Amino acid sequence: MKVIDTINQAKKTVFSFELLPPLKGNDVSRLHRTIESLTEFDPKYINITTHRDEVEFKELPNGKIEKRTVRKRPGTVAVAAAIQHKYGIPVVPHILCGGFTRSETEHVLIDLNFLGINNVLALRGDGLKGQHVFQPTPGGNANANELVKQIKDLGKGKYLEEDLKNNSPLDFCIGVAAYPEKHFESPNMEQDMLYLKQKVDEGADYIVTQMFFDNQVYYNFVNRCREMGITVPIIPGIKPINLKNQLTVLPKIFSIDLPQDLSKELAKCKNNDDARRVGTEWAIYQSKDLVANNVPSLHIYTYGISDNVSEIIKAAF
Ligand code: FAD
């Protein structure tokens, strides 16, 4: 089932969680354990992240530095298909511009269609480590709006090879990302929102937000979107903090603020267990309020950790 139909038909807030494919060398048993611990709460769909190649520098015994390219978490399509077929829960694999040519993207979308997957989250992805600004892959999409257009074109049977005849359209429900506290590269919020509107105008069915820790930031953002004519559902992203160092790491990586009440409590934590307790309580407090305000769905950034997620879902619904 398409995410947009699930949301439109639901009488109350639903929820999904985000899983990362296993690190290369690991098996999928941990992913299965995470899913199995959450199925009793009836997640309506599961997001599967995608990770582009990374550049690493390794010092060799002779003192020289070797540059190499590695993909640490391959297998998004396979993991997504395995989950959807094993549990019967729709999956939403993430599709990136960065690291992929348009032709490779088309092949992934063809594979997903063959596998019975008709939901995707269309994202630009970040630059490679050490790149100050995102560099589009030669032959790839430069921004998420172009990726949305490519996916919508396939929905009309328009493949990259223009002379291809009798084409089957590939029909996907498309989600896109948004940043209630602004994307870190954007010169200002207004410009960022104009680009968001462009993604929706190209055909995105719904929006998922970056994590935020102050619900008022989300409500203000939704109001601004509505004022500028963005009418699609806007799904809030919730990240349960589970490590003490996330007090400083999350603002740095995601360009977001932690409210003073939360940061004060985290600063007092003696260890990760304390931080996890504070983070779970904060996520419950946020989720209860969002559910009470009838948000369409909660998108929970789990990073493969499930016991705090089950606590949050139990308390919020
Ligand atoms: P875009 O919408 O392309 O925006 C990127 C920047 O470019 C913004 O500053 C925007 O204002 C600007 N911009 C947008 N359109 C244009 C245009 N046409 N011309 C010029 N400038 C433009 N990353 C991963 O690598 N893997 C994942 O699985 C993943 N999952 C995510 C899930 C969610 C819910 C979210 C919120 C983010 C996720 N990310 C993931 C991170 C995401 O890839 C980064 O935040 C990335 O920097 C921006 O992606 P985007 O799709 O928002 O890009």
Tab-separated table of all heavy atoms in Angstrom, residues 18 49-50 94 96 121-126 143-145 177-179 183-186 191-192 195 198-199 208-210 299 301, ligand 1:
chain	number	residue	atom	x	y	z
A	18	GLU	N	12.650	4.174	11.109
A	18	GLU	CA	13.680	4.168	10.066
A	18	GLU	C	14.758	3.164	10.440
A	18	GLU	O	15.254	3.193	11.570
A	18	GLU	CB	14.252	5.594	10.010
A	18	GLU	CG	15.128	5.864	8.824
A	18	GLU	CD	15.601	7.306	8.772
A	18	GLU	OE1	14.840	8.174	8.355
A	18	GLU	OE2	16.764	7.548	9.133
A	49	THR	N	17.104	3.287	5.062
A	49	THR	CA	18.028	4.326	4.587
A	49	THR	C	18.954	3.782	3.488
A	49	THR	O	19.113	2.572	3.322
A	49	THR	CB	18.897	4.855	5.746
A	49	THR	OG1	19.628	3.754	6.290
A	49	THR	CG2	18.065	5.500	6.827
A	50	THR	N	19.551	4.737	2.766
A	50	THR	CA	20.554	4.379	1.748
A	50	THR	C	21.850	5.125	2.060
A	50	THR	O	21.804	6.284	2.507
A	50	THR	CB	20.052	4.768	0.344
A	50	THR	OG1	18.970	3.917	0.013
A	50	THR	CG2	21.132	4.607	-0.715
A	94	HIS	N	15.032	4.598	0.742
A	94	HIS	CA	15.467	5.957	0.430
A	94	HIS	C	16.296	5.905	-0.856
A	94	HIS	O	17.143	5.020	-1.027
A	94	HIS	CB	16.300	6.535	1.570
A	94	HIS	CG	15.511	6.682	2.844
A	94	HIS	ND1	16.018	7.289	3.975
A	94	HIS	CD2	14.230	6.320	3.156
A	94	HIS	CE1	15.076	7.293	4.920
A	94	HIS	NE2	14.006	6.700	4.447
A	96	LEU	N	18.846	8.146	-3.355
A	96	LEU	CA	19.707	9.343	-3.295
A	96	LEU	C	20.112	9.828	-4.681
A	96	LEU	O	20.288	9.023	-5.598
A	96	LEU	CB	21.004	9.024	-2.546
A	96	LEU	CG	20.917	8.513	-1.109
A	96	LEU	CD1	22.329	8.290	-0.566
A	96	LEU	CD2	20.155	9.491	-0.229
A	121	LEU	N	11.486	7.383	-0.641
A	121	LEU	CA	11.771	8.728	-0.119
A	121	LEU	C	12.904	9.275	-0.992
A	121	LEU	O	13.982	8.672	-1.069
A	121	LEU	CB	12.190	8.653	1.354
A	121	LEU	CG	12.274	9.982	2.100
A	121	LEU	CD1	10.893	10.617	2.264
A	121	LEU	CD2	12.887	9.782	3.493
A	122	ALA	N	12.641	10.386	-1.691
A	122	ALA	CA	13.601	10.919	-2.674
A	122	ALA	C	14.452	12.004	-2.030
A	122	ALA	O	13.929	13.039	-1.595
A	122	ALA	CB	12.840	11.488	-3.866
A	123	LEU	N	15.759	11.771	-1.980
A	123	LEU	CA	16.677	12.662	-1.252
A	123	LEU	C	17.891	13.004	-2.098
A	123	LEU	O	18.306	12.210	-2.950
A	123	LEU	CB	17.183	11.940	0.006
A	123	LEU	CG	16.118	11.511	0.997
A	123	LEU	CD1	16.548	10.242	1.698
A	123	LEU	CD2	15.836	12.621	1.980
A	124	ARG	N	18.481	14.134	-1.797
A	124	ARG	CA	19.724	14.466	-2.490
A	124	ARG	C	20.909	13.699	-1.926
A	124	ARG	O	21.777	13.248	-2.652
A	124	ARG	CB	20.003	15.974	-2.367
A	124	ARG	CG	21.145	16.431	-3.242
A	124	ARG	CD	21.691	17.764	-2.806
A	124	ARG	NE	22.353	17.675	-1.512
A	124	ARG	CZ	22.936	18.691	-0.919
A	124	ARG	NH1	22.945	19.889	-1.493
A	124	ARG	NH2	23.531	18.542	0.254
A	125	GLY	N	20.937	13.525	-0.587
A	125	GLY	CA	22.130	12.965	0.051
A	125	GLY	C	23.119	14.077	0.347
A	125	GLY	O	22.941	15.221	-0.088
A	126	ASP	N	24.154	13.738	1.112
A	126	ASP	CA	25.163	14.738	1.482
A	126	ASP	C	26.399	14.583	0.609
A	126	ASP	O	26.574	13.569	-0.072
A	126	ASP	CB	25.528	14.577	2.960
A	126	ASP	CG	24.418	15.118	3.849
A	126	ASP	OD1	23.845	16.177	3.505
A	126	ASP	OD2	24.105	14.475	4.859
A	143	ASN	N	19.725	17.782	-7.416
A	143	ASN	CA	18.900	18.091	-6.240
A	143	ASN	C	17.700	17.158	-6.211
A	143	ASN	O	17.322	16.579	-7.231
A	143	ASN	CB	18.423	19.553	-6.270
A	143	ASN	CG	19.500	20.499	-5.778
A	143	ASN	OD1	20.158	21.169	-6.557
A	143	ASN	ND2	19.724	20.513	-4.475
A	144	ALA	N	17.082	17.095	-5.032
A	144	ALA	CA	15.978	16.134	-4.880
A	144	ALA	C	14.826	16.429	-5.836
A	144	ALA	O	14.136	15.508	-6.275
A	144	ALA	CB	15.501	16.132	-3.431
A	145	ASN	N	14.622	17.707	-6.202
A	145	ASN	CA	13.503	18.000	-7.112
A	145	ASN	C	13.714	17.318	-8.473
A	145	ASN	O	12.760	16.859	-9.108
A	145	ASN	CB	13.285	19.510	-7.262
A	145	ASN	CG	14.396	20.194	-8.036
A	145	ASN	OD1	15.521	20.271	-7.554
A	145	ASN	ND2	14.108	20.661	-9.227
A	177	ALA	N	12.228	15.248	1.883
A	177	ALA	CA	12.681	15.740	3.197
A	177	ALA	C	12.470	17.250	3.324
A	177	ALA	O	12.462	17.971	2.321
A	177	ALA	CB	14.166	15.423	3.373
A	178	ALA	N	12.314	17.697	4.574
A	178	ALA	CA	12.241	19.140	4.837
A	178	ALA	C	12.885	19.435	6.191
A	178	ALA	O	13.016	18.537	7.027
A	178	ALA	CB	10.797	19.609	4.843
A	179	TYR	N	13.222	20.694	6.390
A	179	TYR	CA	14.039	21.095	7.541
A	179	TYR	C	13.371	22.253	8.277
A	179	TYR	O	13.555	23.425	7.896
A	179	TYR	CB	15.451	21.478	7.034
A	179	TYR	CG	16.036	20.340	6.235
A	179	TYR	CD1	15.717	20.210	4.873
A	179	TYR	CD2	16.775	19.341	6.839
A	179	TYR	CE1	16.155	19.108	4.144
A	179	TYR	CE2	17.221	18.252	6.126
A	179	TYR	CZ	16.902	18.139	4.778
A	179	TYR	OH	17.322	17.048	4.072
A	183	HIS	N	17.729	23.853	6.094
A	183	HIS	CA	18.838	22.994	5.675
A	183	HIS	C	20.140	23.782	5.826
A	183	HIS	O	20.188	24.971	5.489
A	183	HIS	CB	18.639	22.556	4.218
A	183	HIS	CG	19.674	21.590	3.760
A	183	HIS	ND1	20.781	21.967	3.032
A	183	HIS	CD2	19.801	20.251	3.968
A	183	HIS	CE1	21.526	20.895	2.787
A	183	HIS	NE2	20.960	19.842	3.340
A	184	PHE	N	21.166	23.109	6.294
A	184	PHE	CA	22.392	23.839	6.674
A	184	PHE	C	23.050	24.586	5.516
A	184	PHE	O	23.761	25.555	5.722
A	184	PHE	CB	23.402	22.884	7.339
A	184	PHE	CG	23.979	21.843	6.424
A	184	PHE	CD1	25.231	22.010	5.874
A	184	PHE	CD2	23.262	20.690	6.106
A	184	PHE	CE1	25.773	21.052	5.024
A	184	PHE	CE2	23.800	19.724	5.262
A	184	PHE	CZ	25.047	19.905	4.716
A	185	GLU	N	22.810	24.161	4.271
A	185	GLU	CA	23.449	24.846	3.141
A	185	GLU	C	22.628	26.024	2.623
A	185	GLU	O	23.114	26.791	1.801
A	185	GLU	CB	23.613	23.867	1.966
A	185	GLU	CG	24.656	22.818	2.167
A	185	GLU	CD	24.570	21.751	1.090
A	185	GLU	OE1	24.112	22.026	-0.024
A	185	GLU	OE2	24.957	20.609	1.385
A	186	SER	N	21.400	26.121	3.077
A	186	SER	CA	20.505	27.099	2.468
A	186	SER	C	20.789	28.502	2.994
A	186	SER	O	21.013	28.677	4.188
A	186	SER	CB	19.069	26.695	2.793
A	186	SER	OG	18.211	27.320	1.897
A	191	GLN	N	14.235	30.749	1.105
A	191	GLN	CA	14.740	30.091	-0.100
A	191	GLN	C	14.605	28.572	0.031
A	191	GLN	O	14.221	27.876	-0.904
A	191	GLN	CB	16.211	30.484	-0.325
A	191	GLN	CG	16.790	29.992	-1.632
A	191	GLN	CD	16.009	30.507	-2.838
A	191	GLN	OE1	15.730	31.688	-2.961
A	191	GLN	NE2	15.624	29.588	-3.719
A	192	ASP	N	14.920	28.070	1.226
A	192	ASP	CA	14.815	26.626	1.477
A	192	ASP	C	13.379	26.156	1.232
A	192	ASP	O	13.142	25.102	0.633
A	192	ASP	CB	15.218	26.357	2.935
A	192	ASP	CG	15.795	24.974	3.136
A	192	ASP	OD1	16.264	24.373	2.151
A	192	ASP	OD2	15.765	24.487	4.287
A	195	TYR	N	12.430	25.957	-2.428
A	195	TYR	CA	12.906	24.705	-3.030
A	195	TYR	C	12.050	23.519	-2.583
A	195	TYR	O	11.832	22.582	-3.342
A	195	TYR	CB	14.373	24.469	-2.684
A	195	TYR	CG	15.330	25.343	-3.472
A	195	TYR	CD1	16.359	26.041	-2.836
A	195	TYR	CD2	15.229	25.453	-4.853
A	195	TYR	CE1	17.243	26.843	-3.556
A	195	TYR	CE2	16.100	26.256	-5.582
A	195	TYR	CZ	17.108	26.944	-4.927
A	195	TYR	OH	17.975	27.725	-5.644
A	198	GLN	N	9.090	23.495	-4.666
A	198	GLN	CA	9.410	22.975	-6.007
A	198	GLN	C	9.340	21.438	-6.023
A	198	GLN	O	8.825	20.834	-6.963
A	198	GLN	CB	10.828	23.458	-6.375
A	198	GLN	CG	11.197	23.274	-7.814
A	198	GLN	CD	12.609	23.794	-8.106
A	198	GLN	OE1	13.332	24.261	-7.202
A	198	GLN	NE2	13.010	23.710	-9.345
A	199	LYS	N	9.841	20.807	-4.932
A	199	LYS	CA	9.799	19.327	-4.877
A	199	LYS	C	8.354	18.841	-4.869
A	199	LYS	O	8.010	17.845	-5.506
A	199	LYS	CB	10.502	18.815	-3.606
A	199	LYS	CG	11.988	19.064	-3.570
A	199	LYS	CD	12.689	18.249	-2.487
A	199	LYS	CE	12.752	18.902	-1.150
A	199	LYS	NZ	13.724	18.296	-0.221
A	208	VAL	N	8.633	14.515	4.940
A	208	VAL	CA	9.082	14.052	6.264
A	208	VAL	C	10.104	15.054	6.771
A	208	VAL	O	11.019	15.441	6.030
A	208	VAL	CB	9.759	12.667	6.197
A	208	VAL	CG1	10.046	12.159	7.610
A	208	VAL	CG2	8.927	11.674	5.433
A	209	THR	N	9.982	15.465	8.031
A	209	THR	CA	10.909	16.499	8.512
A	209	THR	C	12.177	15.896	9.118
A	209	THR	O	12.184	14.757	9.598
A	209	THR	CB	10.280	17.406	9.591
A	209	THR	OG1	10.250	16.705	10.833
A	209	THR	CG2	8.911	17.896	9.190
A	210	GLN	N	13.181	16.711	9.090
A	210	GLN	CA	14.380	16.454	9.895
A	210	GLN	C	13.955	16.389	11.364
A	210	GLN	O	12.911	16.954	11.736
A	210	GLN	CB	15.374	17.612	9.663
A	210	GLN	CG	16.679	17.498	10.401
A	210	GLN	CD	17.402	16.212	10.041
A	210	GLN	OE1	17.061	15.141	10.561
A	210	GLN	NE2	18.378	16.298	9.155
A	299	HIS	N	7.514	9.765	12.288
A	299	HIS	CA	8.653	9.085	11.643
A	299	HIS	C	9.743	9.014	12.714
A	299	HIS	O	10.307	10.044	13.108
A	299	HIS	CB	9.123	9.922	10.448
A	299	HIS	CG	10.364	9.412	9.775
A	299	HIS	ND1	10.327	8.715	8.584
A	299	HIS	CD2	11.671	9.512	10.107
A	299	HIS	CE1	11.566	8.410	8.224
A	299	HIS	NE2	12.405	8.881	9.131
A	301	TYR	N	13.315	8.071	14.105
A	301	TYR	CA	14.695	7.738	13.737
A	301	TYR	C	15.218	6.762	14.787
A	301	TYR	O	15.579	7.170	15.892
A	301	TYR	CB	15.560	9.008	13.734
A	301	TYR	CG	15.192	10.020	12.674
A	301	TYR	CD1	14.362	11.099	12.958
A	301	TYR	CD2	15.681	9.904	11.367
A	301	TYR	CE1	14.034	12.043	11.977
A	301	TYR	CE2	15.355	10.836	10.386
A	301	TYR	CZ	14.541	11.894	10.708
A	301	TYR	OH	14.218	12.820	9.740
B	1	FAD	P1	17.452	19.006	-1.544
B	1	FAD	O1	15.991	19.135	-1.469
B	1	FAD	O2	18.053	18.841	-2.886
B	1	FAD	O3	18.070	20.279	-0.815
B	1	FAD	C1	19.467	20.346	-0.523
B	1	FAD	C2	19.920	21.809	-0.454
B	1	FAD	O4	19.858	22.398	-1.765
B	1	FAD	C3	19.059	22.719	0.412
B	1	FAD	O5	19.895	23.685	0.992
B	1	FAD	C4	18.071	23.348	-0.554
B	1	FAD	O6	17.617	24.630	-0.102
B	1	FAD	C5	18.905	23.452	-1.819
B	1	FAD	N1	18.135	23.202	-3.045
B	1	FAD	C6	17.071	22.383	-3.198
B	1	FAD	N2	16.663	22.385	-4.492
B	1	FAD	C7	17.522	23.194	-5.157
B	1	FAD	C8	17.634	23.573	-6.514
B	1	FAD	N3	16.785	23.138	-7.448
B	1	FAD	N4	18.640	24.413	-6.870
B	1	FAD	C9	19.524	24.888	-5.949
B	1	FAD	N5	19.448	24.562	-4.623
B	1	FAD	C10	18.467	23.708	-4.244
B	1	FAD	N6	20.832	11.021	3.660
B	1	FAD	C11	21.369	9.878	3.195
B	1	FAD	O7	22.501	9.883	2.713
B	1	FAD	N7	20.676	8.687	3.260
B	1	FAD	C12	19.426	8.608	3.772
B	1	FAD	O8	18.831	7.515	3.803
B	1	FAD	C13	18.835	9.792	4.286
B	1	FAD	N8	17.593	9.772	4.818
B	1	FAD	C14	17.014	10.949	5.246
B	1	FAD	C15	15.710	10.930	5.737
B	1	FAD	C16	15.104	12.096	6.177
B	1	FAD	C17	13.684	12.049	6.699
B	1	FAD	C18	15.818	13.337	6.135
B	1	FAD	C19	15.186	14.612	6.625
B	1	FAD	C20	17.117	13.364	5.641
B	1	FAD	C21	17.726	12.183	5.190
B	1	FAD	N9	19.034	12.178	4.667
B	1	FAD	C22	19.582	11.005	4.206
B	1	FAD	C23	19.831	13.406	4.660
B	1	FAD	C24	19.692	14.225	3.342
B	1	FAD	O9	20.195	13.484	2.263
B	1	FAD	C25	20.485	15.514	3.540
B	1	FAD	O10	19.883	16.306	4.518
B	1	FAD	C26	20.818	16.319	2.285
B	1	FAD	O11	21.815	17.282	2.642
B	1	FAD	C27	19.655	17.090	1.695
B	1	FAD	O12	18.759	16.271	1.089
B	1	FAD	P2	17.392	16.856	0.451
B	1	FAD	O13	16.721	15.726	-0.200
B	1	FAD	O14	16.644	17.631	1.456
B	1	FAD	O15	18.018	17.824	-0.657
